[in-house]
Amino acid sequence: MRWTQGSNPYRTVTWNGGREGVFSAPRKEPVMKPLFLRLHRWISLAFALPLLVVIATGLILSFEPIAQSGAIRPGSITLESLTAAVAKADPDGKATGIVVRPWENSFGIGFGPSARSYDLATGAPVAPGWLSGLFGASRGIHERLLFDLGWLVTASTVAMLAIIILGVLMGLPRLRNTVSGWHKGTAWFLLPLVVLSPLTGLALAFGITFTTPLPRPAGAPVSLVQALAKVAEGHDLSGLNSIRSRGGTPMARLWEGGELKAYSVSATGLTPIPRNWPRLLHEGNGAGLWSGLVEVVTSLALLGLLGTGLTIWVRRATRRPTRVRAAA
């Protein structure tokens, strides 16, 4: 048998008898691949638990824009009905923010654990629905875990990005119908989505918006009821998501054309706030149902990668060494 080599990546083999065959040369693996693989594996193991919690709650939150945009009924909320409900819920006029939950016909005054829920039609106090409770709890855990550990969420997100980069540095995979093959195939085919999720998460954590802050409006800030009136002048209140104070200035977020847009509210009217692309991409608020579905796919892919990666490690760790019989 004779090998014929050259610059061609394929090799010609001449067998005894004159028959020839062409075989591909073995793929050259990156020199640093063993180190990259070791780092990839151990970083994943070290952050497996917080990553599981962050990704799982992210999957739940992926359905929030789908629920919000899908429940909107144009013209269903008028300024008169909403201000009357707010006045009944907050007779002293001390509230500075409101969150509308169209899927359960309620709204909330206040944010966080102190938030209170009211019926959207009557302003009567109501218990938060299970879906609102699920979204609220998931958001808190997603951002801070269970014990106000926001730093660990950030560290886990950095670790996720490092794991992805190490996976890329290990080179293109050989796709097979195995756990390892599915792990590598999912990572490579959905690489843009897999990278974008932790990258935009870090941008949110560090306050990176790629926008220039708007100047603070002149004059005294408007009240919540006044802000609702200003929003209603040019927008359908049925698409209102929330109004909350940002630096003393009310900021309204409204669903328009499937996108959650933000406006600064002042006595003179509404001023559009430039798109916060990291938030739009991370939360799936850019195209309603479709961007929400993209977030669902991304979260499922990340869960699958974490699960298959741990499965590969467990199989490797529990594999019995093969005994080699000594020659007689």
Side-chain angles (χ1 to χ4, degrees):
M1 181 176 67
R2 178 174 59 83
W3 291 88
T4 302
Q5 299 186 41
S7 59
N8 194 321
Y10 297 93
R11 296 178 178 178
T12 303
V13 181
T14 303
W15 300 89
N16 295 335
R19 292 185 299 110
E20 291 188 353
V22 179
F23 295 84
S24 61
R27 181 186 296 177
K28 186 177 181 180
E29 300 287 356
V31 177
M32 300 291 288
K33 183 175 180 178
L35 175 60
F36 294 153
L37 179 59
R38 193 173 294 111
L39 290 172
H40 181 87
R41 181 182 301 139
W42 286 108
I43 294 174
S44 301
L45 288 173
F47 288 91
L49 186 56
L51 281 176
L52 176 61
V53 174
V54 170
I55 296 171
T57 52
L59 175 60
I60 295 172
L61 292 172
S62 300
F63 291 95
E64 189 172 20
I66 299 175
Q68 288 177 342
S69 59
I72 294 173
R73 299 293 179 266
S76 59
I77 301 177
T78 63
L79 176 61
E80 292 74 18
S81 64
L82 185 55
T83 52
V86 170
K88 184 175 180 179
D90 181 45
D92 297 331
K94 295 181 179 180
T96 59
I98 182 175
V99 177
V100 180
R101 308 183 188 101
W103 60 82
E104 61 184 26
N105 293 315
S106 71
F107 66 93
I109 289 181
F111 302 94
S114 61
R116 305 178 305 277
S117 296
Y118 301 90
D119 185 84
L120 198 54
T122 65
V126 295
W130 70 269
L131 191 56
S132 297
L134 178 63
F135 287 149
S138 297
R139 185 171 299 281
I141 296 173
H142 187 75
E143 295 176 352
R144 299 178 297 276
L145 296 180
L146 294 175
F147 306 103
D148 198 19
L149 299 175
W151 64 269
L152 183 55
V153 174
T154 302
S156 301
T157 308
V158 173
M160 184 191 301
L161 199 56
I163 292 166
I164 296 169
I165 293 172
L166 288 168
V168 172
L169 292 176
M170 283 189 284
L172 291 171
R174 293 184 178 92
L175 301 181
R176 300 186 180 93
N177 190 21
T178 61
V179 174
S180 178
W182 279 98
H183 180 84
K184 297 172 183 177
T186 301
W188 277 96
F189 282 114
L190 296 179
L191 185 60
L193 298 180
V194 169
V195 170
L196 205 58
S197 182
L199 205 58
T200 52
L202 288 176
L204 291 178
F206 292 109
I208 300 172
T209 63
F210 302 107
T211 61
T212 303
L214 293 176
R216 186 169 181 173
V222 296
S223 66
L224 177 58
V225 173
Q226 290 172 329
L228 289 172
K230 289 298 178 182
V231 172
E233 287 179 1
H235 303 271
D236 184 359
L237 285 177
S238 302
L240 179 64
N241 171 264
S242 66
I243 295 178
R244 62 181 67 197
S245 179
R246 284 287 185 268
T249 302
M251 182 187 74
R253 302 183 77 192
L254 297 101
W255 285 100
E256 295 179 334
E259 180 182 343
L260 190 58
K261 298 181 179 180
Y263 296 87
S264 175
V265 186
S266 66
T268 58
L270 272 62
T271 303
I273 297 176
R275 288 182 176 89
N276 183 344
W277 283 108
R279 183 172 296 279
L280 278 178
L281 294 172
H282 190 78
E283 296 182 350
N285 294 328
L289 171 65
W290 300 109
S291 56
L293 290 177
V294 170
E295 293 302 313
V296 171
V297 171
T298 303
S299 298
L300 289 175
L302 291 172
L303 275 178
L305 289 172
L306 183 61
T308 52
L310 291 175
T311 301
I312 294 169
W313 179 83
V314 170
R315 287 183 176 181
R316 178 185 177 88
T318 57
R319 184 186 303 160
R320 293 183 178 181
T322 304
R323 294 183 179 180
V324 180
R325 292 185 178 182

PDB file of all heavy atoms in Angstrom, residues 240-261:
ATOM      1  N   LEU A 240     -51.000  50.402  27.065  1.00  0.00           N
ATOM      2  CA  LEU A 240     -50.124  50.849  28.149  1.00  0.00           C
ATOM      3  C   LEU A 240     -49.600  49.657  28.937  1.00  0.00           C
ATOM      4  O   LEU A 240     -50.364  48.809  29.397  1.00  0.00           O
ATOM      5  CB  LEU A 240     -50.882  51.796  29.080  1.00  0.00           C
ATOM      6  CG  LEU A 240     -50.097  52.333  30.287  1.00  0.00           C
ATOM      7  CD1 LEU A 240     -48.935  53.205  29.827  1.00  0.00           C
ATOM      8  CD2 LEU A 240     -51.019  53.108  31.225  1.00  0.00           C
ATOM      9  N   ASN A 241     -48.295  49.615  29.087  1.00  0.00           N
ATOM     10  CA  ASN A 241     -47.663  48.569  29.893  1.00  0.00           C
ATOM     11  C   ASN A 241     -47.360  49.063  31.298  1.00  0.00           C
ATOM     12  O   ASN A 241     -47.667  48.397  32.284  1.00  0.00           O
ATOM     13  CB  ASN A 241     -46.383  48.083  29.215  1.00  0.00           C
ATOM     14  CG  ASN A 241     -45.568  47.148  30.093  1.00  0.00           C
ATOM     15  OD1 ASN A 241     -44.634  47.570  30.773  1.00  0.00           O
ATOM     16  ND2 ASN A 241     -45.927  45.872  30.081  1.00  0.00           N
ATOM     17  N   SER A 242     -46.766  50.247  31.388  1.00  0.00           N
ATOM     18  CA  SER A 242     -46.424  50.767  32.712  1.00  0.00           C
ATOM     19  C   SER A 242     -46.091  52.247  32.626  1.00  0.00           C
ATOM     20  O   SER A 242     -45.758  52.769  31.556  1.00  0.00           O
ATOM     21  CB  SER A 242     -45.232  50.005  33.309  1.00  0.00           C
ATOM     22  OG  SER A 242     -44.057  50.239  32.539  1.00  0.00           O
ATOM     23  N   ILE A 243     -46.197  52.895  33.767  1.00  0.00           N
ATOM     24  CA  ILE A 243     -45.664  54.243  33.971  1.00  0.00           C
ATOM     25  C   ILE A 243     -44.911  54.199  35.287  1.00  0.00           C
ATOM     26  O   ILE A 243     -45.447  53.757  36.302  1.00  0.00           O
ATOM     27  CB  ILE A 243     -46.773  55.314  34.037  1.00  0.00           C
ATOM     28  CG1 ILE A 243     -47.497  55.437  32.695  1.00  0.00           C
ATOM     29  CG2 ILE A 243     -46.181  56.667  34.430  1.00  0.00           C
ATOM     30  CD1 ILE A 243     -48.637  56.456  32.701  1.00  0.00           C
ATOM     31  N   ARG A 244     -43.665  54.603  35.250  1.00  0.00           N
ATOM     32  CA  ARG A 244     -42.874  54.635  36.472  1.00  0.00           C
ATOM     33  C   ARG A 244     -41.911  55.808  36.426  1.00  0.00           C
ATOM     34  O   ARG A 244     -41.570  56.304  35.347  1.00  0.00           O
ATOM     35  CB  ARG A 244     -42.119  53.325  36.692  1.00  0.00           C
ATOM     36  CG  ARG A 244     -41.112  52.975  35.621  1.00  0.00           C
ATOM     37  CD  ARG A 244     -40.438  51.649  35.944  1.00  0.00           C
ATOM     38  NE  ARG A 244     -41.373  50.545  35.873  1.00  0.00           N
ATOM     39  CZ  ARG A 244     -41.138  49.343  36.410  1.00  0.00           C
ATOM     40  NH1 ARG A 244     -40.020  49.124  37.072  1.00  0.00           N
ATOM     41  NH2 ARG A 244     -42.013  48.373  36.283  1.00  0.00           N
ATOM     42  N   SER A 245     -41.500  56.254  37.598  1.00  0.00           N
ATOM     43  CA  SER A 245     -40.623  57.420  37.684  1.00  0.00           C
ATOM     44  C   SER A 245     -39.181  57.009  37.438  1.00  0.00           C
ATOM     45  O   SER A 245     -38.693  56.023  38.001  1.00  0.00           O
ATOM     46  CB  SER A 245     -40.757  58.063  39.066  1.00  0.00           C
ATOM     47  OG  SER A 245     -39.903  59.180  39.185  1.00  0.00           O
ATOM     48  N   ARG A 246     -38.520  57.769  36.580  1.00  0.00           N
ATOM     49  CA  ARG A 246     -37.102  57.566  36.293  1.00  0.00           C
ATOM     50  C   ARG A 246     -36.388  58.897  36.514  1.00  0.00           C
ATOM     51  O   ARG A 246     -36.525  59.815  35.723  1.00  0.00           O
ATOM     52  CB  ARG A 246     -36.892  57.091  34.854  1.00  0.00           C
ATOM     53  CG  ARG A 246     -37.233  55.621  34.636  1.00  0.00           C
ATOM     54  CD  ARG A 246     -36.157  54.737  35.260  1.00  0.00           C
ATOM     55  NE  ARG A 246     -36.378  53.330  34.977  1.00  0.00           N
ATOM     56  CZ  ARG A 246     -37.054  52.500  35.754  1.00  0.00           C
ATOM     57  NH1 ARG A 246     -37.611  52.967  36.861  1.00  0.00           N
ATOM     58  NH2 ARG A 246     -37.189  51.231  35.448  1.00  0.00           N
ATOM     59  N   GLY A 247     -35.676  58.997  37.628  1.00  0.00           N
ATOM     60  CA  GLY A 247     -34.992  60.244  37.938  1.00  0.00           C
ATOM     61  C   GLY A 247     -35.947  61.390  38.170  1.00  0.00           C
ATOM     62  O   GLY A 247     -35.627  62.545  37.864  1.00  0.00           O
ATOM     63  N   GLY A 248     -37.132  61.086  38.687  1.00  0.00           N
ATOM     64  CA  GLY A 248     -38.117  62.123  38.952  1.00  0.00           C
ATOM     65  C   GLY A 248     -39.014  62.437  37.776  1.00  0.00           C
ATOM     66  O   GLY A 248     -39.952  63.230  37.903  1.00  0.00           O
ATOM     67  N   THR A 249     -38.763  61.819  36.621  1.00  0.00           N
ATOM     68  CA  THR A 249     -39.574  62.052  35.425  1.00  0.00           C
ATOM     69  C   THR A 249     -40.343  60.782  35.073  1.00  0.00           C
ATOM     70  O   THR A 249     -39.740  59.710  34.968  1.00  0.00           O
ATOM     71  CB  THR A 249     -38.688  62.452  34.231  1.00  0.00           C
ATOM     72  OG1 THR A 249     -37.953  63.635  34.568  1.00  0.00           O
ATOM     73  CG2 THR A 249     -39.529  62.716  32.994  1.00  0.00           C
ATOM     74  N   PRO A 250     -41.661  60.861  34.896  1.00  0.00           N
ATOM     75  CA  PRO A 250     -42.420  59.662  34.529  1.00  0.00           C
ATOM     76  C   PRO A 250     -41.986  59.120  33.167  1.00  0.00           C
ATOM     77  O   PRO A 250     -41.767  59.878  32.220  1.00  0.00           O
ATOM     78  CB  PRO A 250     -43.872  60.154  34.485  1.00  0.00           C
ATOM     79  CG  PRO A 250     -43.883  61.398  35.301  1.00  0.00           C
ATOM     80  CD  PRO A 250     -42.544  62.023  35.113  1.00  0.00           C
ATOM     81  N   MET A 251     -41.864  57.802  33.085  1.00  0.00           N
ATOM     82  CA  MET A 251     -41.564  57.134  31.824  1.00  0.00           C
ATOM     83  C   MET A 251     -42.683  56.148  31.534  1.00  0.00           C
ATOM     84  O   MET A 251     -43.007  55.297  32.369  1.00  0.00           O
ATOM     85  CB  MET A 251     -40.230  56.397  31.883  1.00  0.00           C
ATOM     86  CG  MET A 251     -39.857  55.723  30.564  1.00  0.00           C
ATOM     87  SD  MET A 251     -38.374  54.679  30.670  1.00  0.00           S
ATOM     88  CE  MET A 251     -39.029  53.261  31.556  1.00  0.00           C
ATOM     89  N   ALA A 252     -43.298  56.294  30.375  1.00  0.00           N
ATOM     90  CA  ALA A 252     -44.389  55.408  29.971  1.00  0.00           C
ATOM     91  C   ALA A 252     -43.873  54.404  28.951  1.00  0.00           C
ATOM     92  O   ALA A 252     -43.100  54.754  28.050  1.00  0.00           O
ATOM     93  CB  ALA A 252     -45.538  56.220  29.372  1.00  0.00           C
ATOM     94  N   ARG A 253     -44.318  53.161  29.104  1.00  0.00           N
ATOM     95  CA  ARG A 253     -43.974  52.111  28.134  1.00  0.00           C
ATOM     96  C   ARG A 253     -45.280  51.592  27.543  1.00  0.00           C
ATOM     97  O   ARG A 253     -46.196  51.191  28.278  1.00  0.00           O
ATOM     98  CB  ARG A 253     -43.189  50.979  28.797  1.00  0.00           C
ATOM     99  CG  ARG A 253     -41.910  51.438  29.465  1.00  0.00           C
ATOM    100  CD  ARG A 253     -41.140  50.271  30.052  1.00  0.00           C
ATOM    101  NE  ARG A 253     -40.445  49.519  29.012  1.00  0.00           N
ATOM    102  CZ  ARG A 253     -39.878  48.323  29.216  1.00  0.00           C
ATOM    103  NH1 ARG A 253     -39.974  47.747  30.399  1.00  0.00           N
ATOM    104  NH2 ARG A 253     -39.246  47.705  28.239  1.00  0.00           N
ATOM    105  N   LEU A 254     -45.356  51.610  26.206  1.00  0.00           N
ATOM    106  CA  LEU A 254     -46.581  51.226  25.513  1.00  0.00           C
ATOM    107  C   LEU A 254     -46.273  50.223  24.405  1.00  0.00           C
ATOM    108  O   LEU A 254     -45.247  50.327  23.722  1.00  0.00           O
ATOM    109  CB  LEU A 254     -47.272  52.443  24.892  1.00  0.00           C
ATOM    110  CG  LEU A 254     -47.767  53.538  25.829  1.00  0.00           C
ATOM    111  CD1 LEU A 254     -46.796  54.705  25.825  1.00  0.00           C
ATOM    112  CD2 LEU A 254     -49.146  54.005  25.400  1.00  0.00           C
ATOM    113  N   TRP A 255     -47.208  49.277  24.228  1.00  0.00           N
ATOM    114  CA  TRP A 255     -47.118  48.350  23.111  1.00  0.00           C
ATOM    115  C   TRP A 255     -47.691  49.025  21.869  1.00  0.00           C
ATOM    116  O   TRP A 255     -48.858  49.414  21.847  1.00  0.00           O
ATOM    117  CB  TRP A 255     -47.905  47.075  23.406  1.00  0.00           C
ATOM    118  CG  TRP A 255     -47.223  46.165  24.381  1.00  0.00           C
ATOM    119  CD1 TRP A 255     -47.488  46.043  25.711  1.00  0.00           C
ATOM    120  CD2 TRP A 255     -46.172  45.251  24.085  1.00  0.00           C
ATOM    121  NE1 TRP A 255     -46.656  45.115  26.278  1.00  0.00           N
ATOM    122  CE2 TRP A 255     -45.840  44.602  25.305  1.00  0.00           C
ATOM    123  CE3 TRP A 255     -45.475  44.905  22.929  1.00  0.00           C
ATOM    124  CZ2 TRP A 255     -44.841  43.639  25.381  1.00  0.00           C
ATOM    125  CZ3 TRP A 255     -44.481  43.945  23.007  1.00  0.00           C
ATOM    126  CH2 TRP A 255     -44.171  43.318  24.214  1.00  0.00           C
ATOM    127  N   GLU A 256     -46.845  49.167  20.857  1.00  0.00           N
ATOM    128  CA  GLU A 256     -47.269  49.775  19.596  1.00  0.00           C
ATOM    129  C   GLU A 256     -46.659  48.997  18.440  1.00  0.00           C
ATOM    130  O   GLU A 256     -45.436  48.906  18.328  1.00  0.00           O
ATOM    131  CB  GLU A 256     -46.837  51.244  19.526  1.00  0.00           C
ATOM    132  CG  GLU A 256     -47.523  52.124  20.563  1.00  0.00           C
ATOM    133  CD  GLU A 256     -47.062  53.567  20.503  1.00  0.00           C
ATOM    134  OE1 GLU A 256     -45.923  53.816  20.056  1.00  0.00           O
ATOM    135  OE2 GLU A 256     -47.844  54.440  20.906  1.00  0.00           O
ATOM    136  N   GLY A 257     -47.517  48.419  17.616  1.00  0.00           N
ATOM    137  CA  GLY A 257     -47.022  47.642  16.488  1.00  0.00           C
ATOM    138  C   GLY A 257     -46.206  46.438  16.901  1.00  0.00           C
ATOM    139  O   GLY A 257     -45.291  46.039  16.178  1.00  0.00           O
ATOM    140  N   GLY A 258     -46.521  45.861  18.046  1.00  0.00           N
ATOM    141  CA  GLY A 258     -45.796  44.691  18.529  1.00  0.00           C
ATOM    142  C   GLY A 258     -44.522  45.011  19.276  1.00  0.00           C
ATOM    143  O   GLY A 258     -43.863  44.104  19.783  1.00  0.00           O
ATOM    144  N   GLU A 259     -44.162  46.273  19.368  1.00  0.00           N
ATOM    145  CA  GLU A 259     -42.933  46.679  20.061  1.00  0.00           C
ATOM    146  C   GLU A 259     -43.279  47.453  21.324  1.00  0.00           C
ATOM    147  O   GLU A 259     -44.215  48.257  21.338  1.00  0.00           O
ATOM    148  CB  GLU A 259     -42.069  47.544  19.147  1.00  0.00           C
ATOM    149  CG  GLU A 259     -40.766  48.011  19.793  1.00  0.00           C
ATOM    150  CD  GLU A 259     -39.956  48.915  18.879  1.00  0.00           C
ATOM    151  OE1 GLU A 259     -40.233  48.928  17.658  1.00  0.00           O
ATOM    152  OE2 GLU A 259     -39.050  49.616  19.380  1.00  0.00           O
ATOM    153  N   LEU A 260     -42.531  47.199  22.380  1.00  0.00           N
ATOM    154  CA  LEU A 260     -42.723  47.929  23.624  1.00  0.00           C
ATOM    155  C   LEU A 260     -41.855  49.184  23.578  1.00  0.00           C
ATOM    156  O   LEU A 260     -40.638  49.122  23.742  1.00  0.00           O
ATOM    157  CB  LEU A 260     -42.341  47.050  24.817  1.00  0.00           C
ATOM    158  CG  LEU A 260     -42.713  47.575  26.207  1.00  0.00           C
ATOM    159  CD1 LEU A 260     -44.209  47.824  26.317  1.00  0.00           C
ATOM    160  CD2 LEU A 260     -42.261  46.596  27.281  1.00  0.00           C
ATOM    161  N   LYS A 261     -42.502  50.334  23.339  1.00  0.00           N
ATOM    162  CA  LYS A 261     -41.785  51.593  23.180  1.00  0.00           C
ATOM    163  C   LYS A 261     -41.854  52.411  24.463  1.00  0.00           C
ATOM    164  O   LYS A 261     -42.798  52.294  25.241  1.00  0.00           O
ATOM    165  CB  LYS A 261     -42.370  52.393  22.012  1.00  0.00           C
ATOM    166  CG  LYS A 261     -42.243  51.683  20.670  1.00  0.00           C
ATOM    167  CD  LYS A 261     -42.805  52.525  19.535  1.00  0.00           C
ATOM    168  CE  LYS A 261     -42.653  51.811  18.198  1.00  0.00           C
ATOM    169  NZ  LYS A 261     -43.185  52.613  17.070  1.00  0.00           N
TER     170      LYS A 261
END
